[in-house]
Amino acid sequence: LGDEESAEKIRDEMLSTQKGKKLTRARLVRIDRMFELGQTEAADAELAEIERSNPDMLSRSIIANIRNSSRAKALDDYITAETFYLLTLRRSGKKKGVTLNAHYSLGKLYKELGRTEDAREHLCYCVENGGECVMKTDAAKLLEELTESA
């Protein structure tokens, strides 16, 4: 399998083992990736489905982040994406999940833009503070890719 196919297979396996809020969050990580791959219609449809399911507050915050930032990024509007991610980070306060998601999103954005040290800083935060969530696992994989490409 290619790298992207392998990553998708891992995400699908992770989805199959998650329940409740963790399943919703794993789906949101997958949706975020769908926007990255330019699959905006499918990502929008799945986001709408999650919104109709009455998600918890953290998931609603992640959805807003994806709608504002990942969608902008999918349209190559990196300045808007970075602005929303940084704003989310500043406003997150003590909301650990929101902070984690903002760091994760910034890490991915900076990796894509070639801002390696910035990416490393935000992805390391996710690995160190992610508990047992899909973002921690994905951030660790992205850090490995940064190390391999250095």
Side-chain angles (χ1 to χ4, degrees), residues 117-132:
E117 289 310 310
D118 291 330
R120 193 176 313 281
E121 174 187 341
H122 291 283
L123 294 171
C124 281
Y125 177 92
C126 295
V127 171
E128 293 167 5
N129 299 285
E132 297 303 318

Side-chain angles (χ1 to χ4, degrees), residues 67-121:
R67 283 227 184 266
N68 293 325
S69 306
S70 298
R71 202 160 204 298
K73 193 170 123 186
L75 299 171
D76 296 330
D77 185 357
Y78 298 108
I79 292 170
T80 298
E82 180 184 30
T83 301
F84 275 108
Y85 293 142
L86 290 170
L87 183 61
T88 299
L89 190 57
R90 275 196 301 273
R91 290 182 174 172
S92 64
K94 294 183 180 182
K95 298 173 189 162
K96 184 179 177 184
V98 176
T99 301
L100 183 67
N101 185 63
H103 279 288
Y104 174 73
S105 298
L106 280 165
K108 287 191 317 175
L109 177 68
Y110 292 147
K111 179 181 181 285
E112 188 174 329
L113 294 174
R115 293 172 54 180
T116 306
E117 289 310 310
D118 291 330
R120 193 176 313 281
E121 174 187 341

Side-chain angles (χ1 to χ4, degrees), residues 51-70:
E51 286 175 313
R52 286 190 300 271
S53 72
N54 193 25
D56 65 300
M57 189 170 100
L58 174 57
S59 294
R60 286 193 307 268
S61 177
I62 294 170
I63 289 167
N65 189 24
I66 289 172
R67 283 227 184 266
N68 293 325
S69 306
S70 298

